[in-house]
Structure formats: C-alpha cells, structure tokens
Amino acid sequence: MGIDLPLIWTFIIGFGLMMYVVMDGFDLGIGLLFPFVRDEAERDVMVNTVAPVWDGNETWLVLGGAALLAAFPLAYAVILSALYIPLVLMLLGLILRGVAFEFRFKADEAHKPAWDLSFTGGSYTAAFFQGVSLGGFMNGFTVENGAYAGGALDWITPFSLFTGLGVVVAYALLGTTWLIIKTEGPLQNRMVTLARPNVLILLAVIGIVSLWTPLAHPAVAERWFSYPNLLFFSPVPILVVATVWALLRSLGGKRHVAPFLLALFLIFLGYSGLAISLWPHIIPPDITIREAAAPPQSMGFTLVGALLIIPFILAYTSWSYYVFRGKVKAGEGYH
C-alpha cells in the first residue's frame, strides 16, 4: 500500500494552523485585553510576557499557507480568490500590530497612547478577520472549471461576521489565561475576573455555531446527527461542557497553568468539531482533498522539506518558551 500523500499533507496543514491558533491566539489576546487595563506599567508587563516569543508564533501561519500552496494548489487559488479582502485586512492588522508592538517601547509618554491604540486596533482587526475568513470557508465556495466563480463580497454573511466575533472571544480567553500564568498580583487577579465571563461567552458562541452550521448546511447535519455518527461524535459536545466546568473551577486556584491548558483544549475541541463537519472537503462543499491535491511527485518532493523544517520550528519554539519561562514583573522587560 502506497503513502497517502493528500492525507499526510492535510494533517500537516491542520497541525500548522492549530499551532498558529495556540501560539498566536494568546499573543493576539494580549492586544484584545488592552482596553480593560488602563495602567501603562501593567500594559508593559502584558506585552513583555510575549515579547521574546511573539515573532516565532506567526511562523505557523506562514507554514500553513506555504503548505496549502505546495500540496493543494487548487484550494490555495480558490480560497485566496474568495477570501482575498478579509485575508488582506487580517495581514494589515498583523502588520499594524507588529509595528505598534516595537514602537510603543521606544515612544515618549506623549505618543505612547497612540501606539497602544494601534496595537489594540491591529489585534482586533487581525483576530476578527481571521474569524470572518473561517466563517466564509465554512460556508463554502462556488467553483466552476477549477476557479472561484463567486463574488468578491460573498464572504460577508451574518454567519461569517458572527464567527469573526467568536474568534475574538476565543483569543481573549487565551490571552487572559496566559497572563494568569505569567503575571501576579492585581493584574493576575484582574485576568481571573475577566476570564470567568469570557469562558461563558465562548461556550455560548460554540453552542450557537454548533447549531447554526447544521441548520444552514444539511450535509453537516447529516454528518453529525445520523446513526451511528451521533454515537461516535457525541463525546465532543460532552467534553466541551466538561472542559468549561473544569476551567471555571480552575480559575483563581493555585495551579496557574491549568486554566490556560484547559482553554487550549476547549479551542482544540472546537477545531475538531470543524474538522468533523467538513471532512474530507478542503474546498467546501464539494471538492475533496484528493480532488484538489497536487501531483504525487510535487507532494512527495515538498514533503521531504516539510519533514526537515517542522522539527526545527518545534525545537526552536520549545527552547524559546523554556528560556523565557517564569513570571514577568513590573520593571522587567526584554526591550
């Protein structure tokens, strides 16, 4: 039996995107939380918790995009054509955020609020349009003769706008739980206070999306609610509720890492629900991973490079987080 290259590449791309959500989610969450923290010293602490690692976090987004181009060029062409505007707005948000991240440390007191506003605006823009792109992807695309045949604004739907807000809520939760790990005192207490309603809002978002998707797409409803799939997939919503309960219980406890890990698991459950709903389509609603795959020779050649690069990225990421472990206090920094 030969190697199933489309399946392997699907897992690589899925892994890369999940790593991006894990790594850059709490990073973006720092900017999303700025409006809730007015003290400049505390804002400096918040930014310093990610200052040594934030550049490397976005490596996974680049990897996911490059892998999609190499392994599924048809999907790359259709998805980027359909979601060109929200993806460009997302990138502009990331650029604005990155510039503000560096300049706020070098600005004088008169200009620092402007860079704080830019950092916040870039974070909200990037997070929101990532969610909008996700919603547009879930809604599917019109494809004719191997090309996107829809309109430039087809991505603007109530569902995609709602998923945009949902991603903002999810990243904010990752940000609060990350700061619970990395800070102490009044700032940590404020993050615990913010995290509790954030968890419940995210649970509501997950519930609404879980109902909205099958109602809007009969094929997804058939996937989830037909027998015996209903038995196989029922652990997912059960685990979501159990994780939310455990997360609420862990907030304010002495184990500061537990809320962050549980928040990550909650995001993973949502990610797995998305995969269940769409599998095996990489261009919803009709084109599968095998129909969109590149020639086997191309996929095999690029797979060698990916298997060499990914361990280096994982090693560097692990090393950087290990070196800069521990609490960050006021007056300490990496700039």
Side-chain angles (χ1 to χ4, degrees):
M1 184 173 62
I3 299 175
D4 193 339
L5 290 172
L7 183 61
I8 293 173
W9 270 108
T10 300
F11 279 110
I12 290 175
I13 294 171
F15 174 75
L17 292 178
M18 185 62 202
M19 288 297 293
Y20 172 75
V21 171
V22 169
M23 297 297 180
D24 212 37
F26 68 81
D27 188 341
L28 284 164
I30 301 299
L32 302 179
L33 294 169
F34 256 40
F36 302 95
V37 179
R38 297 295 183 181
D39 184 81
E40 281 296 334
E42 290 186 337
R43 287 185 170 186
D44 288 343
V45 172
M46 293 167 66
V47 173
N48 277 325
T49 64
V50 295
V53 296
W54 78 280
D55 284 313
N57 291 343
E58 294 175 359
T59 303
W60 297 102
L61 182 62
V62 177
L63 175 66
L68 186 65
L69 173 61
F72 304 102
L74 175 60
Y76 183 89
V78 171
I79 293 171
L80 264 69
S81 297
L83 303 177
Y84 183 81
I85 294 176
L87 290 176
V88 167
L89 291 172
M90 177 199 74
L91 292 175
L92 290 175
L94 290 174
I95 293 169
L96 176 62
R97 180 176 178 278
V99 172
F101 190 100
E102 298 294 340
F103 275 82
R104 71 177 302 279
F105 282 101
K106 301 171 177 63
D108 54 34
E109 292 302 317
H111 295 92
K112 196 170 184 179
W115 289 116
D116 282 351
L117 183 61
S118 299
F119 181 64
T120 302
S123 299
Y124 273 91
T125 300
F128 177 72
F129 282 105
Q130 283 181 21
V132 169
S133 300
L134 174 62
F137 176 78
M138 293 173 66
N139 276 333
F141 309 107
T142 303
V143 180
E144 295 179 3
N145 300 319
Y148 176 63
L153 300 179
D154 285 0
W155 54 272
I156 303 178
T157 66
F159 180 76
S160 65
L161 296 178
F162 183 80
T163 55
L165 295 175
V167 168
V168 170
V169 172
Y171 285 175
L173 178 60
L174 292 178
T176 56
T177 52
W178 169 258
L179 290 172
I180 290 171
I181 297 175
K182 301 294 288 185
T183 64
E184 56 188 9
L187 179 57
Q188 184 188 64
N189 294 334
R190 187 175 296 109
M191 292 302 110
V192 172
T193 301
L194 289 173
R196 289 193 176 99
N198 200 166
V199 174
L200 297 176
I201 294 172
L202 182 57
L203 177 62
V205 167
I206 293 173
I208 292 172
V209 171
S210 299
L211 292 174
W212 196 336
T213 305
L215 288 174
H217 304 282
V220 175
E222 176 69 18
R223 171 70 57 85
W224 278 93
F225 301 119
S226 63
Y227 187 84
N229 289 357
L230 183 62
L231 296 179
F232 296 148
F233 300 148
S234 59
V236 175
I238 294 172
L239 285 173
V240 167
V241 174
T243 303
V244 167
W245 177 81
L247 180 50
L248 290 171
R249 295 255 315 180
S250 68
L251 290 171
K254 295 182 179 180
R255 299 180 62 184
H256 296 160
V257 178
F260 183 67
L261 295 179
L262 288 167
L264 289 180
F265 187 61
L266 186 60
I267 301 299
F268 172 76
L269 289 172
Y271 194 71
S272 64
L274 172 64
I276 291 169
S277 297
L278 298 180
W279 179 260
H281 301 104
I282 196 168
I283 307 177
D286 299 317
I287 300 177
T288 67
I289 59 173
R290 290 178 174 80
E291 293 170 335
Q297 297 85 349
S298 298
M299 300 184 80
F301 178 78
T302 51
L303 179 62
V304 175
L307 294 179
L308 290 174
I309 292 172
I310 292 175
F312 280 101
I313 299 175
L314 288 171
Y316 168 77
T317 301
S318 301
W319 176 80
S320 62
Y321 277 88
Y322 175 77
V323 169
F324 295 103
R325 66 193 184 279
K327 301 284 186 180
V328 177
K329 302 177 181 178
E332 298 179 348
Y334 303 105
H335 281 67

